Amino acid sequence: MNGLSRLLCAPTICLVIFAAPVLQAQNNGSLHGQVTDPSGAIVPGANVQLSGGGKNYSATSGGDGSYSFGTVPAGRYTLDVNVTGFTPFSETGVSVVSGTSRLLNIPLTIATQEQQVEVTADTRQLDTEPENNANAIVITGKDLDALSDDPDEMENELTALAGPGAGNGGAQIYIDGFTGGQMPPKSAIREIRINQNPFSAEFDKLGYGRIEILTKPGTDKLHGQVQANGNTSAFNTTDFVTSPPSYYAYFLNGSIGGPISKKASWFFSIFTRNTQNLNIVNAPGTLEDPNYLNEHGANFVQGVLNPQTRIYLSPRFDYQLTPSNTLTIRYQLNRGNESGDGVGQYQLASQGYNSYFLENTLQISDSQIVNAHIVNDLRFQYQRDRDQQTPEDLTPTVTVQGTFTGGGNNDGESHTHGDHYEFQDYVTGSFKNHTLHLGTRLRAYHESDSANSGVNGAYTFTALGAPGAVNAAGTYYSGIASLGTVTKINNANATATLFDGALFLQDDWKINRKLTIDPGLRFESQNRIHDHANWGPRFALAYAVDGGTKRPPKTVIRAGYGWFFNRFSNADVIQAIHQNGKNQIQEVFTNPTYIAGQPPQGAGTVNPSSATYSISPNLKAALDMQGAIGVDRTITKAITSNVTFLYSRGVHQYLSDNINAPLYDYTTNQFIIDPSTGQPQLPFPGEGNLYQFQSDGVYRQKQLITTISGRAKNFSITGYYALGYFDSDASGASYFPSRQYDIAFDYGRASNDIRNRVAVFGQFSLPYGIQASPLLVGNSGQPFNITTGHDTNGDQQYNERPALVSASNCTPGSKRYYATQYGCLDSQPNLLNASGQFNTDFVPVNRGRGPANVSMDLRLSKSFGIGPKLAGHGGPGMGGGGYRGRGLSGGLTGNTPGGGPRSNAARHKYNLSFTVYARNVFNIVNLAQPSNVLTSPNFDHSLQLAGGFFQQRNASSVRSIYLQTNFNF
């Protein structure tokens, strides 16, 4: 019996003896991350201390700013970071979980007095720092997985997440502190900040709608990834076209980085994409058969192939010149080829053109800690753009309002050379309880453009005057166009250099632990316009309603106000040079006879004239004035929310105006006749159309935005809902009013006034190590302007609106009155009605309602560990948090490279992940804006799929499914 006992017990004892080291190893975890300064630049040489359970661990951030604690017992610790010139960082309750490696990035702040606040791990803490507004979104690590790996699609997603910006400018994207440039692939992105610190004087544009992208530096160990992504038409659903030709999309993406020495690191990213897109023509008529709809009972539908290729590559080098000075050099190349652009809906296949672009970018930045209170960031960028466009058809353009556009593309052939220089010097300093931000930005954009747009000529028919058939000579039987244009080229070249400069100063003044105010002032100026001095005051405050010395507040009230200027663009300057009446002369013919293959000519026409462009001598920089008040609130330890009301007012908004349009009496609907000529009177007799860029537009906008974000052990999620009201009388420099001398007549609902918007995205860890990344975006219908398809006031713009009349007028077969969901509409209010009166109850601007859109993208991924297990650092591509409190990127506990929390892949040197990515997973048909021409046979019908976030890589796809594999090492 004793012998049997010894026999049975011996293996148990042996098992305990041999298992003890294994059990101890399984009870260990690791912690790593990156230390950065307020601008996002890496901070090498930071002293990082981890303490808890009577044990202390120490590390120093390397040349890439990274730190790592390879193997520490599982438990809760206090993390302290100290480096000269920055506020000491301290976080309690940092959890290290057995068998996992956690990412914890540490953005430091410049040293000020009374600024240290202890926070608790894995929660978002509120405070009064200006960059920590709760309605900001900061995306890093694993939360980036919710975004597309295609740079173009990701740009649409980020624009949707940024929400409705103020005015007509839309979202603005900064890449490593610079504006412009192509979106880098996701593998090269370290962090994305959306709507952060909205009233900062450092930025020229509004903070609501601002997107900042920071790219990755090198690492202290060799890491990399290779990714392949593919899609074919067999995986997709379609609409409008029943049997489309096959199409596909695939891309390869890779990145690698590592150390050069103890003071230097490198990173290289490459992306290449090859797609066979498909554009859908859906028109009621064609050039060969204008009455196609009537003859066939359906629109002419055609799938036109649109092949595209793109390649991106970017090396980056970071070098620690001294312990307090880091130099970064980054080069980026973007090249793309596309064929068959410009086709879709009413644009027939002959409208296609081929395009090519090549962009080279060099960025050099130097981040220097001058002393214990001052950090200086110097940045320089040179960008070289080469673009060209070539039409596939050189015949005249033929447009029938609301029916089709055929013939050659009127944009013609163009070659554009651009050189963009930008210099920044930003200084951050601290003195007692003040943090000062000051600096300058200087930009110069030189563009040389060669173009022959309009040389092929163009005919425009009203919908009621559409040609019926073509005879043997190629002439329409009813072939009298309402308008014809042709451009004579004397000098195809135009060159311009646009300069702008800015100075700013801002003081983040922490009066006490409850109140921070942020006064600022920005000065801007540019050439080419007569408005050279633009002062932009900025002010923000944050007040903590509660909280204590060591207890963070749960409620923070924020308010702000600022002036923001939109620069006049170089593209508009170039257009004014091209069409100055000397270089290129656009001849305009009224009622020319259409002859197939020949541009409009003088024979048989009335009143041939010319058209020129100029910049108004009174043009001012467009000004957006925005105020906001909101409340940040911690609901639970894992959930924070915000409610913000925004009021924006814009003046000096850009538009185009024909200052020599015929004088017209809208009370009698008659031209004012010049008695000396018997023709409509012109303000400048003997001149043609004088198009002028002006800044007389205004807008008013109100928005109520609610955001909520949550983070727990196995998920992170954030979302917003926005209610908006936007009224305007202009919508950009290319917009023409319907009455050239009465801009206010068009004041009303703006073209981009979307009343309701919602966006939700996040990360979820599912059973079996599956990671789910959903992204949901929806909005109510966008308005559209209902037009008659006629030019009745002679300004040669087809944007007149119909009049509303009683329903009794809409009798069957009427060619003037149309029954619509908006009432009975008169398409010719310039003519007397049956009572001998004019119908003057005009439909308000943008009265039409487009379709609502909603779509959800979903990514499901699973990772597998390969090769030897790692005892410490969790390996390459480590995931991390998405939203920061106090600039803290606190990640999901145990995030791993592509595998989610607690994935076994975290303990292996190599990792292989497989992903299924579905765009519009619920297969909802999201339609684009309907036809807005009342006299069109397709009025108020949507003939194509929506664009922006809702647009697939292929324009015919409703739902697209991509397969992806990713290898990390």
Side-chain angles (χ1 to χ4, degrees):
M1 184 68 177
N2 292 336
L4 181 60
S5 299
R6 286 193 299 270
L7 182 62
L8 293 176
C9 291
T12 304
I13 296 172
C14 292
L15 179 63
V16 171
I17 293 173
F18 286 103
V22 176
L23 292 174
Q24 183 178 3
Q26 289 179 344
N27 198 36
N28 292 333
S30 63
L31 179 70
H32 69 286
Q34 192 173 55
V35 185
T36 59
D37 70 8
S39 70
I42 57 178
V43 177
N47 182 273
V48 186
Q49 300 288 333
L50 189 68
S51 59
K55 296 183 178 180
N56 296 290
Y57 303 89
S58 179
T60 301
S61 61
D64 61 347
S66 65
Y67 73 93
S68 175
F69 295 100
T71 303
V72 295
R76 300 180 73 82
Y77 294 86
T78 296
L79 183 70
D80 295 287
V81 182
N82 291 277
V83 62
T84 303
F86 294 94
T87 300
F89 176 91
S90 180
E91 180 176 346
T92 61
V94 175
S95 58
V96 175
V97 180
S98 61
T100 65
S101 179
R102 178 181 175 186
L103 174 72
L104 186 61
N105 291 328
I106 305 170
L108 299 175
T109 58
I110 299 299
T112 60
Q113 292 184 351
E114 301 179 2
Q115 201 169 13
Q116 184 171 342
V117 178
E118 292 186 2
V119 296
T120 304
D122 298 324
T123 65
R124 180 174 185 177
Q125 303 296 334
L126 299 180
D127 60 31
T128 61
E129 297 300 320
E131 69 274 10
N132 290 336
N133 49 303
N135 52 1
I137 302 173
V138 180
I139 310 172
T140 64
K142 292 299 296 179
D143 288 321
L144 283 168
D145 282 349
L147 303 177
S148 173
D149 293 280
D150 186 303
D152 295 335
E153 292 179 355
M154 182 171 61
E155 183 172 347
N156 289 331
E157 293 167 350
L158 294 176
T159 301
L161 291 175
N168 301 308
Q172 185 178 41
I173 297 177
Y174 293 79
I175 300 175
D176 286 333
F178 296 99
T179 56
Q182 298 289 329
M183 176 73 68
K186 192 169 68 178
S187 62
I189 296 175
R190 169 166 57 94
E191 183 176 296
I192 300 174
R193 306 171 182 176
I194 301 176
N195 300 339
Q196 189 181 60
N197 197 1
F199 295 99
S200 170
E202 177 180 339
F203 299 94
D204 54 348
K205 292 295 186 69
L206 292 158
Y208 295 101
R210 184 176 68 236
I211 301 167
E212 301 171 67
I213 294 176
L214 303 177
T215 60
K216 291 179 180 178
T219 55
D220 58 345
K221 295 181 180 179
L222 183 66
H223 294 310
Q225 68 166 358
V226 179
Q227 180 188 94
N229 188 308
N231 165 266
T232 180
S233 53
F235 293 165
N236 304 337
T237 60
T238 60
D239 197 56
F240 294 119
V241 57
T242 55
S243 300
S246 61
Y247 55 89
Y248 58 84
Y250 66 84
F251 61 80
L252 298 174
N253 186 12
S255 63
I256 187 171
I260 298 176
S261 66
K262 291 183 178 180
K263 295 184 177 181
S265 62
W266 63 280
F267 182 84
F268 179 79
S269 178
I270 186 170
F271 173 89
T272 180
R273 181 181 66 206
N274 190 317
T275 58
Q276 181 66 278
N277 291 343
L278 190 68
N279 292 328
I280 304 300
V281 174
N282 189 356
T286 68
L287 187 61
E288 295 76 18
D289 190 356
N291 293 311
Y292 188 96
L293 175 61
N294 294 332
E295 295 173 1
H296 298 84
N299 279 359
F300 172 77
V301 178
Q302 180 185 19
V304 181
L305 294 175
N306 177 215
Q308 301 179 2
T309 61
R310 178 182 172 184
I311 185 170
Y312 164 99
L313 59 88
S314 177
R316 168 173 170 161
F317 300 92
D318 294 272
Y319 183 69
Q320 187 179 353
L321 299 173
T322 69
S324 60
N325 192 355
T326 302
L327 176 69
T328 298
I329 300 175
R330 178 172 175 257
Y331 168 75
Q332 178 177 300
L333 179 142
N334 265 286
R335 188 185 68 187
N337 278 290
E338 300 183 9
S339 300
D341 287 349
V343 178
Q345 191 175 344
Y346 292 155
Q347 313 299 314
L348 304 180
S350 61
Q351 284 289 292
Y353 61 85
N354 303 325
S355 61
Y356 168 82
F357 75 86
L358 175 64
E359 179 184 275
N360 292 274
T361 304
L362 175 65
Q363 295 177 348
I364 301 174
S365 63
D366 181 78
S367 181
Q368 183 176 7
I369 303 173
V370 179
N371 56 40
H373 299 282
I374 298 176
V375 174
N376 186 42
D377 288 306
L378 288 169
R379 302 171 187 157
F380 172 78
Q381 174 179 268
Y382 169 65
Q383 193 173 87
R384 182 178 184 268
D385 301 321
R386 299 295 182 261
D387 302 274
Q388 65 184 50
Q389 176 178 305
T390 306
E392 298 177 353
D393 189 322
L394 300 178
T395 61
T397 304
V398 178
T399 298
V400 179
Q401 292 291 312
T403 306
F404 70 86
T405 297
N409 193 299
N410 206 235
D411 289 340
E413 184 175 354
S414 65
H415 299 267
T416 303
H417 294 181
D419 295 282
H420 181 199
Y421 305 86
E422 184 169 347
F423 171 78
Q424 301 173 3
D425 187 5
Y426 293 166
V427 179
T428 303
S430 65
F431 176 72
K432 295 185 178 180
N433 54 348
H434 295 265
T435 299
L436 298 176
H437 305 268
L438 67 155
T440 183
R441 184 189 70 183
L442 302 174
R443 296 188 299 189
Y445 187 78
H446 176 80
E447 181 176 332
S448 178
D449 182 75
S450 177
N452 65 351
S453 59
V455 72
N456 61 321
Y459 295 89
T460 300
F461 293 84
T462 63
L464 290 179
V470 182
N471 61 20
T475 304
Y476 286 117
Y477 288 126
S478 55
I480 304 299
S482 61
L483 182 69
T485 62
V486 63
T487 301
K488 304 297 185 182
I489 306 293
N490 295 321
N491 182 2
N493 300 317
T495 300
T497 301
L498 206 65
F499 294 96
D500 71 74
L503 298 169
F504 73 89
L505 173 64
Q506 179 170 312
D507 180 13
D508 298 339
W509 182 10
K510 192 172 184 66
I511 297 177
N512 53 47
R513 62 179 179 82
K514 284 182 171 288
L515 178 63
T516 298
I517 64 173
D518 305 284
L521 182 64
R522 186 178 180 90
F523 172 80
E524 297 182 9
S525 182
Q526 74 169 99
N527 67 333
R528 290 285 181 177
I529 64 175
H530 296 276
D531 182 19
H532 294 305
N534 304 134
W535 295 92
R538 314 281 174 87
F539 180 81
L541 66 84
Y543 176 72
V545 176
D546 48 21
T549 304
K550 291 189 176 183
R551 180 170 56 89
K554 291 187 176 182
T555 304
V556 175
I557 298 174
R558 295 182 183 272
Y561 180 77
W563 287 19
F564 304 82
F565 295 92
N566 293 308
R567 296 290 113 208
F568 192 67
S569 75
N570 213 23
D572 296 326
V573 173
I574 288 291
Q575 182 175 355
I577 295 174
H578 274 310
Q579 295 182 246
N580 61 5
K582 298 178 181 179
N583 293 336
Q584 298 182 11
I585 301 174
Q586 185 187 61
E587 295 183 346
V588 182
F589 303 93
T590 304
N591 301 324
T593 299
Y594 172 77
I595 302 177
Q598 296 185 21
Q601 300 178 32
T605 66
V606 179
N607 192 28
S609 60
S610 63
T612 63
Y613 257 98
S614 65
I615 300 172
S616 169
N618 300 316
L619 188 137
K620 296 181 180 296
L623 171 60
D624 301 318
M625 299 172 285
Q626 185 175 72
I629 185 169
V631 179
D632 299 345
R633 175 67 182 177
T634 297
I635 299 176
T636 68
K637 288 184 177 181
I639 300 175
T640 59
S641 65
N642 168 273
V643 177
T644 297
F645 173 76
L646 298 172
Y647 178 78
S648 305
R649 180 170 176 262
V651 296
H652 310 313
Q653 300 299 298
Y654 300 130
L655 56 88
S656 291
D657 192 78
N658 185 354
I659 63 174
N660 202 34
L663 299 181
Y664 194 86
D665 187 344
Y666 289 98
T667 60
T668 62
N669 279 302
Q670 299 288 331
F671 287 104
I672 298 175
I673 302 300
D674 185 341
S676 63
T677 63
Q679 299 294 325
Q681 184 174 341
L682 303 175
F684 302 94
E687 302 286 345
N689 293 315
L690 301 179
Y691 299 133
Q692 189 177 83
F693 292 114
Q694 298 181 353
S695 57
D696 297 328
V698 297
Y699 76 81
R700 288 178 175 84
Q701 185 176 17
K702 294 177 287 186
Q703 301 174 69
L704 183 66
I705 305 174
T706 300
T707 62
I708 188 167
S709 61
R711 176 170 297 282
K713 186 175 182 180
N714 293 314
F715 77 89
S716 67
I717 189 169
T718 192
Y720 77 83
Y721 165 75
L723 173 67
Y725 294 86
F726 186 10
D727 294 323
S728 177
D729 60 9
S731 57
S734 61
Y735 169 85
F736 280 89
S738 61
R739 296 181 179 181
Q740 305 300 313
Y741 305 115
D742 186 11
I743 297 173
F745 178 72
D746 287 342
Y747 185 81
R749 191 175 182 187
S751 59
N752 56 345
D753 175 30
I754 297 177
R755 291 289 163 83
N756 302 279
R757 304 175 192 247
V758 63
V760 180
F761 81 110
Q763 284 282 322
F764 297 87
S765 296
L766 304 180
Y768 305 105
I770 297 175
Q771 194 79 7
S773 307
L775 172 57
L776 172 71
V777 174
N779 58 247
S780 57
Q782 184 174 348
F784 64 89
N785 196 31
I786 302 174
T787 63
T788 64
H790 299 280
D791 173 23
T792 57
N793 59 9
D795 63 1
Q796 297 179 352
Q797 301 298 318
Y798 289 80
N799 55 8
E800 280 89 333
R801 299 195 300 276
L804 184 66
V805 297
S806 63
S808 60
N809 291 279
C810 282
T811 58
S814 171
K815 294 183 180 299
R816 173 175 174 177
Y817 299 102
Y818 294 80
T820 73
Q821 64 169 312
Y822 310 106
C824 182
L825 303 183
D826 180 4
S827 66
Q828 295 176 294
N830 61 307
L831 301 180
L832 293 173
N833 58 27
S835 302
Q837 304 291 324
F838 293 108
N839 296 320
T840 58
D841 186 13
F842 290 96
V843 172
V845 67
N846 293 313
R847 178 65 177 84
R849 295 188 300 271
N853 300 128
V854 63
S855 178
M856 188 175 86
D857 298 350
L858 179 63
R859 180 187 300 265
L860 299 175
S861 62
K862 168 70 176 177
S863 290
F864 301 90
I866 304 173
K869 295 182 177 181
L870 301 178
H873 195 285
M878 298 303 299
Y883 321 105
R884 303 183 307 171
R886 295 187 67 249
L888 166 65
S889 180
L892 291 173
T893 302
N895 269 352
T896 63
R902 296 176 178 170
S903 167
N904 289 332
R907 302 196 300 271
H908 290 264
K909 184 175 182 179
Y910 307 104
N911 301 278
L912 181 65
S913 64
F914 297 94
T915 300
V916 178
Y917 176 41
R919 298 206 64 211
N920 191 17
V921 65
F922 294 121
N923 201 34
I924 298 171
V925 178
N926 288 294
L927 298 174
Q929 292 292 79
S931 172
N932 70 317
V933 180
L934 178 63
T935 50
S936 167
N938 286 131
F939 171 71
D940 206 25
H941 292 282
S942 296
L943 303 179
Q944 61 181 350
L945 299 175
F949 172 84
F950 307 100
Q951 182 176 12
Q952 305 287 334
R953 166 55 56 186
N954 292 285
S956 65
S957 300
V958 177
R959 178 181 60 208
S960 300
I961 298 177
Y962 294 81
L963 301 181
Q964 177 180 304
T965 183
N966 193 73
F967 176 73
N968 288 280
F969 62 90

